[in-house]
Amino acid sequence: MRKRRRRLRFDGREFLWTARIGHAEQPDGTCRRAVLVRVTDMAAPGGRALVVELVSHRRPVRGGHCATGTAHPTARDLRLLVEHALAVGWESDVPGAPLVLTAESGDGDPGLPGFRLPASGNAPGREG
């Protein structure tokens, strides 16, 4: 699948984001749709990226099949995610390793309808 870059503009700032769809195995043995999101600040091309794997709230179907569904983050979801990351200290214009948000990183929940952050054991990069 081809990566498509999308723009997000708010509060006088502009970000680029991509989303890669896969699945994440859960601690209970089920799996759910996962969307690996990467966000960069257009004003700081060498700045620190934001990386988050969003896991669908959709319950797995019976029979052990992965609940891939059709969940995909919207522009509103991305805005909430970026606002949350900025509030917890993401400095998008400072060079450095990407900020990876997980449920256990102590940064709270960005409150995205339809998605949650994974536990650190399901860190971004796991594909399906």
Side-chain angles (χ1 to χ4, degrees), residues 2-19:
R2 178 176 78 120
K3 271 198 229 181
R4 187 172 129 197
R5 292 182 185 195
R6 298 180 176 146
R7 290 178 190 237
L8 175 67
R9 296 180 185 114
F10 69 94
D11 291 341
R13 296 181 78 173
E14 193 168 9
F15 299 90
L16 281 179
W17 65 279
T18 60

Side-chain angles (χ1 to χ4, degrees), residues 3 9 11 19 25 29-30 53 75-76 85 87-88 90 93 97 119 127:
K3 271 198 229 181
R9 296 180 185 114
D11 291 341
E25 294 189 23
T30 62
E53 184 177 42
R76 181 179 183 275
V88 298
W90 177 43
D93 56 345
E127 296 181 43

Side-chain angles (χ1 to χ4, degrees), residues 8-68:
L8 175 67
R9 296 180 185 114
F10 69 94
D11 291 341
R13 296 181 78 173
E14 193 168 9
F15 299 90
L16 281 179
W17 65 279
T18 60
R20 189 170 62 202
I21 298 170
H23 72 275
E25 294 189 23
Q26 304 301 295
D28 64 1
T30 62
C31 72
R32 296 188 187 203
R33 182 181 183 102
V35 181
L36 182 66
V37 176
R38 181 177 177 89
V39 183
T40 57
D41 188 334
M42 287 189 64
R48 189 175 189 195
L50 171 65
V51 177
V52 183
E53 184 177 42
L54 302 173
V55 179
S56 173
H57 280 302
R58 182 172 176 215
R59 300 284 306 160
V61 294
R62 291 180 187 211
H65 298 290
C66 188
T68 56

